[in-house]
């Protein structure tokens, strides 16, 4: 398939020569190019838990009661493949989830099965970062070999076809994940994620290259929504924030991996680079063949026995207590007396139970509307706060400060991003999502305003280079501490099980569409208004993002997904 829309071809700037100062760079005219660097690298409850039947109360031999007998010991790999962990026992009050009296999954079981499942899923995130970035180094060599050297529109098409595919893939990811399940959807994404890079690796003409890149993008779009959703549903509540941050961290590692392979191999070896891009996708597919399905997705489909097995494998013998399986007895009684409508109404009021929901605009009404709109807004703020534009200009900024190597500049930005994300992972379950995200946007705003002042105020011109370098690294660090990892983590946390797949899909559509919009308009805005006003605009968006988070985004730290759903549902009823 060939994309021919020139609107998707991003813009490229001719980087300033070594003698150009930063104020001149601020007025730099634009040329067409590929968007390689224009990318995104994402208290306890006071609401009483409802009375409901849990998995550990499911009847055995016709009688209610705890599951009989201990299970045999098994290795972490056996847990991952499906063996159940060692037996059951009385609940430890210290290991219960705050506000529910339920045990925290994983509190009394080894974390190895969860970490293995999360690690496999993160191969999709690594492929995300690697495939978007690997094109940067060899783009000129690819253009020469495919006969389009010097044709900026065609070179831009090679890069932007991946973004177009990603937007399309994320658009359908929610329906796929909700209907087929998380595990089957990963397997579905892994196939084109392997095939796309290999098609590009063996491409003999532009059409084949664009087709491979588009197919890769579609797979990335599908997996970009799947990874945070799956992690949020399999992670123990107590460390869900830290594990959720691994999604963004692995994207950063994928970007760094692409940078390293660009440095290690000459540009003429671009076919080898694309072949290497298929490796993480192959690991994702192989891992998911053995991996567990999300217990919560199984519960939503009323596949109780499978959900119990998956919960025990991941979280230990008390893991099923986290889930709410089966319809409440009240729903069954209502079905006999008042028909299906009454039963559905009772069932819909129970957190953790998936009920049929209208798609499309139907999601904009009812209790699902607020978290859906929060997710779309957070990714819009993330992109329009200027992360991709700043990364794009980073090499020019470092060159003006005396760092001549673009590779060294990219490495400094990438290392800062990774370092900040590692710190964020450690703080996510302590400081909380809301505080990290709000302060992150504030830090981005301060750095953007400082750089805008350095570019425009005559008194700061002698220090413009230093301000730009410190501002760039400070901005990247601020992004990595919150605006990078938190949206991808908090969006699946906030959305109820019945609409989670579609809501996360909508949020990532927002991400990819805003990504393309920033890529298409950034250089034109710099040419028309100058770099300082554009950076000031980015700073204003980041400031508004911080205010939005403080006013509208609830905290999810330390709460089960069912608690979060119950609180949002209660808020919707009283609003």
């Amino acid at each position: 398939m060939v994309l021919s829309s020139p609107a998707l071809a991003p813009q490229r700037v001719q980087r300033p020569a070594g003698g150009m100062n930063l104020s001149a760079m601020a007025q730099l005219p634009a040329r067409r190019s590929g968007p390689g660097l224009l990318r995104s690298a994402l208290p306890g409850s006071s609401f009483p838990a409802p009375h409901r039947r849990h998995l550990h109360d499911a009847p055995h031999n016709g009688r209610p009661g705890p599951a009989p007998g201990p299970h045999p010991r098994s290795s972490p790999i056996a847990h991952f493949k499906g063996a159940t962990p060692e037996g059951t026992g009385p609940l430890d009050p210290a290991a219960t989830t705050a506000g529910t009296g339920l045990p925290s999954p994983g509190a009394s079981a080894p974390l190895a099965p969860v970490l293995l499942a999360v690690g496999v899923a993160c191969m999709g995130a690594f492929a995300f970062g690697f495939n978007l970035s690997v094109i940067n180094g060899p783009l000129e060599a690819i253009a020469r070999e495919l006969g389009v050297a010097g044709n900026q529109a065609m070179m831009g098409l090679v890069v932007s076809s991946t973004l177009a595919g990603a937007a399309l893939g994320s658009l359908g990811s929610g329906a796929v994940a909700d209907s087929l399940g998380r595990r089957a959807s990963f397997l579905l994404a892994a196939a084109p994620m392997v095939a796309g890079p290999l098609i590009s690796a063996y491409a003999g003409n532009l059409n084949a290259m664009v087709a491979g890149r588009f197919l890769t993008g579609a797979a990335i779009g599908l997996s970009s929504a799947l990874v945070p959703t799956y992690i949020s549903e399999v992670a123990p509540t107590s460390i869900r924030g830290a594990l959720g941050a691994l999604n963004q961290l692995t994207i950063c590692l994928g970007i760094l991996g692409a940078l390293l392979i660009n440095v290690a191999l000459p540009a003429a070896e671009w076919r080898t680079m694309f072949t290497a891009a298929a490796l993480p996708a192959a690991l994702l597919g192989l891992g998911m063949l053995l991996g567990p399905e999300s217990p919560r997705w199984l519960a939503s489909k009323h596949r109780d026995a499978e959900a119990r097995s998956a919960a025990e494998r991941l979280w230990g013998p008390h893991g099923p207590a986290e889930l709410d399986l089966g319809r409440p007895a009240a729903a069954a009684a209502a079905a006999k007396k008042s028909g299906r409508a009454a039963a559905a109404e009772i069932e819909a009021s129970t957190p953790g139970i998936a009920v049929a929901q209208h798609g499309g605009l139907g999601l904009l009404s009812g209790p699902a509307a607020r978290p859906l709109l929060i997710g779309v807004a957070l990714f819009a703020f993330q992109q329009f706060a200027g992360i991709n534009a700043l990364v794009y200009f980073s090499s020019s900024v470092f060159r003006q400060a005396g760092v001549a190597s673009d590779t060294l500049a990219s490495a400094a930005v990438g290392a800062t991003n990774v370092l900040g994300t590692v710190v964020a992972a450690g703080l996510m379950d302590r400081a909380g999502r809301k505080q990290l995200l709000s302060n992150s946007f504030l830090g981005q705003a301060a750095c953007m305003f400082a750089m805008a002042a350095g570019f425009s105020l005559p008194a700061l011109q002698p220090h413009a280079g230093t301000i730009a370098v410190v501002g760039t690294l400070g901005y990247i660090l601020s992004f990595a501490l919150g605006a990078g990892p938190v949206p991808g983590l908090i969006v699946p946390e906030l959305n109820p099980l019945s609409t989670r797949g579609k809501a996360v899909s909508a949020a990532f559509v927002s991400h990819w569409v805003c990504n393309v919009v920033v890529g298409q308009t950034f250089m034109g805005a710099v040419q028309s208004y100058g770099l300082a006003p554009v950076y000031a605009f980015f700073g204003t968006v980041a400031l508004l993002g911080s205010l939005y988070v403080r006013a509208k985004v609830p905290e999810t730290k330390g709460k089960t997904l069912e608690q979060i759903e119950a609180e949002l549902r209660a808020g919707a009823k009283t609003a």
Side-chain angles (χ1 to χ4, degrees):
M1 180 178 182
V2 179
L3 296 181
S4 57
S5 172
L8 287 174
Q11 298 172 332
R12 186 185 190 95
V13 64
Q14 181 67 38
R15 289 191 174 97
M20 186 179 295
N21 60 31
L22 282 170
S23 61
M25 184 182 75
Q27 308 297 329
L28 194 62
R31 283 171 48 185
R32 304 291 295 177
S33 94
L37 291 175
L38 289 176
R39 63 183 181 274
S40 169
L42 213 197
S45 169
S46 59
F47 188 81
H51 296 286
R52 52 204 185 216
R53 182 168 62 90
H54 302 292
L55 259 183
H56 63 289
D57 296 324
H60 297 279
N61 299 323
R63 295 184 302 274
H71 299 288
R73 291 182 183 270
S74 60
S75 68
I77 296 296
H79 281 265
F80 193 63
K81 289 182 177 179
T84 53
E86 188 174 8
T88 60
L91 300 184
D92 177 5
T96 60
T97 302
T100 65
L102 300 177
S104 297
S108 59
L111 287 176
V114 170
L115 296 178
L116 189 55
V118 170
V120 168
C122 282
M123 287 296 99
F126 187 92
F128 178 154
F130 192 95
N131 280 288
L132 286 183
S133 305
V134 73
I135 193 71
N136 293 331
L139 184 58
E140 298 285 349
I142 293 172
R144 284 194 300 271
E145 191 164 336
L146 298 183
V148 292
N151 189 328
Q152 296 294 328
M154 293 299 99
M155 292 168 64
L157 182 60
V158 170
V159 182
S160 60
S161 57
T162 309
L163 297 178
L168 184 63
S170 61
L171 183 63
S173 62
V176 171
D178 286 342
S179 60
L180 299 182
R182 316 314 191 207
R183 180 172 170 268
S185 298
F186 272 121
L187 293 172
L188 181 64
M193 202 181 289
V194 171
L198 293 179
I199 291 173
S200 297
Y202 291 95
N205 54 56
L206 181 66
N207 287 356
M209 172 59 70
V210 171
R213 294 293 290 169
F214 180 84
L215 190 61
T216 302
I220 289 173
L222 177 57
S223 69
S224 66
L226 277 172
V227 174
T229 301
Y230 182 78
I231 293 176
S232 73
E233 291 181 347
V234 304
T237 300
S238 59
I239 58 170
R240 191 176 63 235
L243 293 183
L246 293 181
N247 176 45
Q248 179 68 16
L249 177 61
T250 317
I251 292 173
C252 297
L253 293 176
I255 294 171
L256 281 181
L259 171 65
L260 291 176
I261 202 170
N262 283 172
V263 172
L265 296 178
E269 295 293 325
W270 59 269
R271 296 183 187 275
T272 303
M273 298 179 191
F274 281 117
T275 302
L279 180 60
L283 293 176
L284 173 66
L286 291 174
M288 280 298 164
L289 283 174
L290 300 174
E293 178 56 271
S294 160
R296 287 185 166 92
W297 181 81
L298 290 169
S300 76
K301 300 301 181 183
H302 305 292
R303 292 161 59 174
D304 296 9
E306 295 173 76
R308 179 187 183 89
S309 175
E312 287 181 344
R313 285 156 51 192
L314 286 165
W315 303 330
H318 302 308
E322 178 84 359
L323 298 174
D324 240 351
L325 292 189
R327 292 184 176 93
K336 293 181 180 180
K337 294 183 179 180
S338 306
R340 293 183 178 179
E345 182 178 353
I346 294 174
E347 186 174 53
S349 67
T350 305
I353 298 293
V355 235
Q357 296 281 342
H358 296 293
L361 295 178
L363 294 176
L364 296 178
S365 60
R370 181 188 173 196
L372 171 71
L373 295 176
I374 287 174
V376 171
L378 287 183
F379 277 108
F381 281 121
Q382 180 199 68
Q383 292 300 302
F384 281 104
I387 178 61
N388 294 310
L390 191 83
V391 170
Y392 183 73
F393 252 108
S394 62
S395 295
S396 297
V397 166
F398 277 78
R399 191 178 297 110
Q400 292 302 310
V403 181
S405 171
D406 289 353
T407 301
L408 184 58
S410 297
V413 170
T416 302
N417 201 1
V418 169
L419 176 63
T421 307
V422 170
V423 174
L427 294 175
M428 202 70 70
D429 292 305
R430 297 164 61 189
R433 287 66 150 155
K434 184 170 183 174
Q435 180 179 339
L436 286 177
L437 186 56
S438 176
N439 291 342
S440 171
F441 278 130
L442 279 180
Q444 289 178 274
C447 291
M448 278 295 186
F449 289 139
M451 288 188 287
F455 293 148
S456 59
L457 298 180
L460 297 178
Q461 286 301 304
H463 311 288
T466 301
I467 292 173
V469 170
V470 173
T472 296
L473 293 180
Y475 179 97
I476 296 295
L477 182 61
S478 297
F479 172 83
L481 287 172
V486 171
L489 166 64
I490 202 171
V491 169
E493 288 183 326
L494 289 176
N495 283 278
L497 180 61
S498 57
T499 59
R500 185 171 297 140
K502 295 181 181 66
V504 175
S505 173
F508 274 90
V509 169
S510 171
H511 168 276
W512 290 111
V513 170
C514 293
N515 189 317
V516 172
V517 170
V518 171
Q520 293 299 305
T521 59
F522 170 62
M523 287 312 304
V526 170
Q527 187 177 20
S528 299
Y529 304 107
L531 190 58
V534 172
Y535 272 27
F537 169 78
F538 289 148
T540 301
V541 172
L543 182 59
L544 292 174
S546 178
L547 296 175
Y548 176 84
V549 170
R550 289 172 183 254
K552 299 293 185 180
V553 179
E555 181 57 77
T556 60
K557 178 189 72 171
K559 302 174 185 177
T560 68
L561 299 182
E562 290 74 23
Q563 278 182 279
I564 298 166
E565 181 178 345
E567 291 177 357
L568 288 173
R569 192 185 297 274
K573 289 180 179 179
T574 58

